[in-house]
Structures are given as C-alpha cells and as structure tokens.
Amino acid sequence: MSTVFVNGCFDLLHIGHVRLLQFAKRFGDRLVIGLNSDSSVRSLKGQGRPIIPESERLQMLYAVGANDVVVFNEPTPFELVVVRRPDVLVVGCHHAPTCRSCDYVRDYGGQVAQAPSFDGESTSSIIERIRNT
C-alpha cells in the first residue's frame, strides 16, 4: 500500500483544493493530509486567518476523502514528512520542487509530484472577491 502526502492550510475549501486532492489521490492508495493549525495559518497568512477553524477544516478534509489528517503547528510540514515517510509527496504548483521536504523524500527513494495550477483559484483571491462585492 503506497502513501501519498500533501499539505496546506485548506482554509475556505474550494475547487482548487478539491482538484489538488484528486491529483494527489492518483499517486497511491492512502492519502495523508498535513493541515496547518490555526496558529500556523495565522503566522503564514496574517491576522483574520484562518476563516474556518482547524476543527472544521479537519472534518471537511475527511469528507473529501482523506484517509488521515494530521494537524501541525510549524510553518512547513518537514517534521511530519520525516515521521510519515510517504511514498509520494505532492507539492502545490507555487512551491519549489527543491523544498526541504522534497529533498528528504527523494533521498530515501520516494517520489515528488508537483501539482499543476488549478484555475489560479486561491483562498486569498476568494476573500478578496467577497470583500469587493
């Protein structure tokens, strides 16, 4: 059984997130999602984020087919990747394929898959559209 790992804030779950998870699921049998905690999202995105609390984001990710969701407090999921040792690490299109986690996974023989851009949709752009209407 092969494990695929993907991570993110997943605040205001949208079609870009769904497409990312569908892309990730193609690489293995078990999808593990690293979810940024509320404090981690706040440190990355600023005050006012996340919009949706981690307990609800966690439930939504299970609802869209995650086998396991692990909340982490750090800015990156590196320590979680070290513990989980996924067969495949999926990174978003805006992350460099040479990230620390990517190098670690490649070093033990795992695969790194870079997801394509999905319609340029982002939580930040959705929030901005809402503010401008």
Side-chain angles (χ1 to χ4, degrees):
M1 179 177 290
S2 59
T3 300
V4 180
F5 181 90
V6 65
N7 71 280
C9 298
F10 298 99
D11 195 11
L12 290 181
L13 193 63
H14 57 72
I15 192 64
H17 292 136
V18 171
R19 289 178 179 150
L20 172 64
L21 297 175
Q22 288 172 332
F23 175 83
K25 284 181 179 183
R26 293 187 295 189
F27 289 92
D29 306 304
R30 182 167 178 75
L31 179 63
V32 176
I33 299 175
L35 177 65
N36 291 77
S37 68
D38 288 347
S39 62
S40 177
V41 173
R42 215 171 355 272
S43 71
L44 293 168
K45 306 289 185 177
Q47 288 299 340
R49 297 284 300 275
I51 302 296
I52 307 297
E54 72 187 50
S55 61
E56 293 176 22
R57 292 183 285 130
L58 186 106
Q59 289 178 38
M60 289 187 292
L61 291 170
Y62 278 118
V64 295
N67 296 103
D68 194 10
V69 182
V70 183
V71 178
F72 64 97
N73 291 311
E74 300 76 23
T76 72
F78 179 74
E79 296 302 324
L80 190 52
V81 170
V82 169
V83 170
R84 291 297 177 123
R85 285 182 63 95
D87 299 294
V88 181
L89 173 66
V90 173
V91 294
C93 62
H94 56 282
H95 294 290
T98 57
C99 69
R100 185 175 175 205
S101 294
C102 296
D103 292 341
Y104 177 79
V105 169
R106 286 188 190 106
D107 284 348
Y108 66 72
Q111 178 185 356
V112 175
Q114 189 167 3
S117 176
F118 298 112
D119 299 329
E121 195 65 80
S122 72
T123 300
S124 297
S125 67
I126 292 171
I127 292 169
E128 190 61 31
R129 282 198 320 257
I130 292 168
R131 287 182 177 151
N132 291 328
T133 57

